[in-house]
């Protein structure tokens, strides 16, 4: 027959186990909240989709501009040296300008990759938490924001300033 | 004073393609002595070893951003008057305001055209 102290000890162990279970579940809920807010939630997911759609559009526009420049070069009257020189200058400039898409789309894709990494880190942490394995990733890992909060990357259509607005801001009185 | 198109120019970007594009556009405009750096730290070392006519820099770079490079340049007695043009995808008001307060000479949003680059250079350097 189990002694009083044994029963008390079993009860205490049960209580401790329940408390631990409660803590694990609470941590799990926090992880899911972080995932929702930073990776799979509607705001972040919509943003990631928008970034990729914009990158796809920018790639198409750039290729169109490059091919248009190539078409013009090929249509140049080669018997006219001045026309050839002019065509090369104008169309090579257009090709250089069009190629700036790579920088912008690269930055957009990097933003989406960051979201995916954050999601992966949070999922790893959840898995570690509920599988009871040691060395689970810190819940906040991957969510650290850049120390330079001025880094936002390329804006989506309708966001951010255009060059004319930037020019006005450069000459406006912005205070001390 | 006429602008010397032979002046050495420093361009800074962590994207090699962007460096190639800016170099190509500068060459079309008439600037052919162009050096490259991949981030602010490298750029700062180069600025302290050669006298450049102006610098064109991206913002988003590591370990030193273009914004930090700008602040370093403006706080350096030897470099503080160097014309510094930021060319960046950072297009929010706070970016432009911060750059202006840090002493940027001009600010170009990516993607940009050769005409915009030339116009900005004329604004900063004078007509050529």
């Amino acid at each position: 027959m189990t002694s009083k102290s044994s029963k008390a000890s079993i009860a205490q162990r049960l209580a401790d186990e329940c408390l631990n279970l409660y803590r694990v579940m609470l941590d799990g809920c926090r992880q899911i909240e972080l995932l929702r807010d930073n990776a799979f939630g509607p705001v972040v997911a919509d943003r990631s989709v928008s970034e990729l759609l914009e990158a796809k559009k920018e790639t198409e526009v750039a290729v169109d501009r490059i091919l248009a420049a190539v078409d013009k070069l090929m249509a140049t009257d080669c018997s006219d040296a001045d026309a050839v020189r002019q065509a090369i200058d104008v169309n090579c400039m257009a090709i250089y300008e069009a190629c700036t898409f790579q920088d912008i789309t690269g930055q957009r894709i990097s933003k989406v990759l960051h979201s995916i990494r954050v999601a992966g880190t949070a999922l790893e942490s959840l898995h570690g938490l509920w599988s009871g394995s040691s060395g689970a990733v810190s819940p906040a890992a991957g969510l650290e924001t850049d120390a330079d909060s001025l880094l936002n990357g390329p804006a989506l259509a309708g966001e951010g300033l255009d060059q004319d607005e930037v020019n006005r801001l450069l000459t406006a009185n912005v205070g001390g | 004073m006429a602008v010397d198109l032979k002046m050495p120019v420093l361009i800074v970007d962590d994207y090699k393609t962007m460096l190639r594009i800016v170099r190509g556009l500068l060459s079309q405009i008439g600037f052919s002595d162009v050096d490259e750096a991949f981030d602010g730290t490298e750029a700062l070392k180069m600025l302290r070893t050669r006298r450049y006519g102006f610098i064109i820099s991206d913002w988003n770079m590591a370990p030193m951003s273009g914004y930090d490079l700008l602040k370093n340049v403006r706080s350096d007695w030897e470099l503080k008057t160097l014309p510094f043009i930021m060319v960046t995808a950072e297009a929010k008001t706070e970016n432009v305001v911060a750059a202006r307060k840090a002493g940027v000479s001009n600010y170009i949003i990516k993607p940009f055209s050769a005409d915009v680059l030339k116009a900005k250079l004329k604004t900063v350097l004078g007509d050529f």
Side-chain angles (χ1 to χ4, degrees):
Chain A
M1 199 151 137
T2 329
S3 68
K4 236 187 193 173
S5 60
S6 268
K7 281 183 189 170
S9 166
I10 290 168
Q12 183 59 48
R13 270 177 55 199
L14 264 171
D16 288 344
E17 288 295 328
C18 287
L19 198 57
N20 281 338
L21 192 59
Y22 167 73
R23 284 190 189 118
V24 166
M25 288 174 70
L26 198 61
D27 276 343
C29 288
R30 282 196 201 112
Q31 286 297 317
I32 291 171
E33 239 182 81
L34 279 172
L35 258 180
R36 187 199 64 203
D37 290 345
N38 296 286
F40 295 134
V43 172
V44 175
D46 282 351
R47 183 82 198 188
S48 294
V49 167
S50 298
E51 293 281 1
L52 288 176
L53 285 172
E54 195 68 24
K56 184 169 169 267
K57 193 175 96 179
E58 283 161 352
T59 307
E60 285 166 1
V61 166
V63 167
D64 275 344
R65 288 175 65 187
I66 290 167
L67 290 175
V70 168
D71 286 342
K72 284 178 189 163
L73 278 168
M74 288 174 70
T76 307
D77 177 7
C78 295
S79 63
D80 183 348
D82 284 340
V84 167
R85 202 170 308 129
Q86 165 91 340
I88 289 172
D89 277 349
V90 166
N91 292 293
C92 286
M93 200 79 107
I95 291 170
Y96 270 121
E97 288 171 6
C99 287
T100 56
F101 85 95
Q102 200 214 359
D103 184 359
I104 307 293
T105 56
Q107 289 187 52
R108 294 197 193 283
I109 290 167
S110 293
K111 281 161 83 171
V112 175
L113 283 174
H114 175 74
S115 292
I116 292 171
R117 278 189 204 108
V118 163
T121 302
L123 282 168
E124 272 301 307
S125 184
L126 258 177
H127 180 261
L129 211 58
W130 285 339
S131 68
S133 58
S134 60
V137 177
S138 153
L143 294 173
E144 300 88 6
T145 55
D146 200 289
D148 184 351
S149 62
L150 292 168
L151 285 175
N152 297 289
L156 291 172
E159 293 178 355
L161 304 169
D162 63 24
Q163 190 61 57
D164 286 338
E165 287 163 332
V166 169
N167 295 343
R168 277 194 288 275
L169 208 48
L170 286 172
T171 51
N173 181 8
V174 293
Chain B
M1 200 196 313
V3 173
D4 179 9
L5 294 177
K6 291 194 181 68
M7 69 171 79
V9 178
L10 181 62
I11 56 177
V12 193
D13 202 305
D14 55 351
Y15 241 54
K16 283 185 187 168
T17 305
M18 206 62 214
L19 288 172
R20 208 168 143 185
I21 290 167
V22 174
R23 176 188 283 278
L25 292 175
L26 285 172
S27 171
Q28 292 282 78
I29 292 169
F31 295 99
S32 53
D33 186 355
V34 178
D35 288 342
E36 297 173 356
F38 294 111
D39 85 283
T41 312
E42 190 184 354
L44 204 52
K45 279 189 205 143
M46 292 171 76
L47 287 169
R48 288 178 174 145
T49 55
R50 191 180 183 196
R51 200 171 190 83
Y52 290 96
F54 62 92
I55 176 173
I56 294 177
S57 175
D58 184 22
W59 184 309
N60 191 347
M61 300 179 292
M64 186 190 287
S65 69
Y67 179 57
D68 287 336
L69 172 62
L70 170 62
K71 288 191 283 186
N72 272 284
V73 163
R74 290 291 178 251
S75 63
D76 185 313
W77 183 256
E78 301 277 335
L79 301 172
K80 64 181 185 176
T81 59
L82 177 71
F84 193 119
I85 299 172
M86 196 78 82
V87 176
T88 173
E90 302 297 338
K92 295 203 164 180
T93 303
E94 53 259 38
N95 293 99
V96 182
V97 169
R100 191 181 152 185
K101 284 184 179 173
V104 80
S105 308
N106 223 307
Y107 197 105
I108 300 175
I109 298 289
K110 289 178 182 173
F112 60 94
S113 68
D115 286 343
V116 166
L117 179 60
K118 193 170 181 178
K120 291 299 188 177
L121 286 171
K122 285 184 174 180
T123 304
V124 171
L125 304 172
D127 218 353
F128 56 84

